[in-house]
Amino acid sequence: QVQLLESGGGSVQAGGSLRLSCATSILRYSPYCMAWFRQAPGKEREGVANIEFDGTTTYADSVRGRFTISKDSDKNTLYLQMDSLKPEDTAMYYCAADKLIWGDEGWSKCPRKDSDFDNWGQGTQVTVSS
């Protein structure tokens, strides 16, 4: 069972920045897709960003250009740098991981649906005030 522990959430004013961290028990350089999701009160969980095993990143349209996902394999930690925060970014942010499979075309890609991720953290709250 993979352990994921988020930290770095808090309250900031619009335009501010936060950096979320997700400490993992995933072994260094193990083939996992890592991702950040968020869920605001009364709304469905949505994908924010993910990073493939080869380092390729994908972002939701709502955060592209403002958020940056990265990973430090030596520290077994996933990050989400959030800049130019807006009140609509207010949500619980979750770290997720999914083990990849080797196939004819190399490692599989990040799942398209959140329900396909096998491992989740407990979340960290981000609140952005106007």
Side-chain angles (χ1 to χ4, degrees), residues 113-126:
K113 299 184 296 183
D114 58 347
S115 57
D116 289 334
F117 279 81
D118 296 330
N119 305 281
W120 293 85
Q122 294 300 306
T124 185
Q125 178 67 38
V126 172

Side-chain angles (χ1 to χ4, degrees), residues 3-130:
Q3 303 297 318
L4 303 171
L5 181 62
E6 302 95 334
S7 62
S11 297
V12 295
Q13 290 190 328
S17 299
L18 283 173
R19 187 176 80 155
L20 305 184
S21 299
C22 174
T24 84
S25 63
I26 296 172
L27 295 177
R28 180 179 172 181
Y29 302 124
S30 292
Y32 276 81
C33 164
M34 302 296 297
W36 288 97
F37 290 82
R38 67 184 181 186
Q39 187 168 22
K43 294 187 177 181
E44 294 187 352
R45 186 166 55 191
E46 63 173 348
V48 175
N50 64 50
I51 184 165
E52 304 278 0
F53 184 48
D54 65 2
T56 303
T57 57
T58 303
Y59 296 92
D61 290 342
S62 58
V63 306
R64 187 176 295 112
R66 299 188 297 121
F67 290 10
T68 303
I69 188 172
S70 62
K71 61 181 178 179
D72 186 333
S73 297
D74 291 338
K75 296 181 179 180
N76 296 340
T77 302
L78 178 73
Y79 301 100
L80 184 68
Q81 178 66 41
M82 305 186 295
D83 298 318
S84 302
L85 282 162
K86 304 176 180 179
E88 50 263 45
D89 294 320
T90 295
M92 184 72 78
Y93 283 71
Y94 298 92
C95 173
D98 186 72
K99 192 171 185 179
L100 303 177
I101 300 172
W102 180 262
D104 293 338
E105 297 182 359
W107 292 111
S108 57
K109 300 301 182 184
C110 286
R112 293 182 180 274
K113 299 184 296 183
D114 58 347
S115 57
D116 289 334
F117 279 81
D118 296 330
N119 305 281
W120 293 85
Q122 294 300 306
T124 185
Q125 178 67 38
V126 172
T127 303
V128 184
S129 59
S130 57

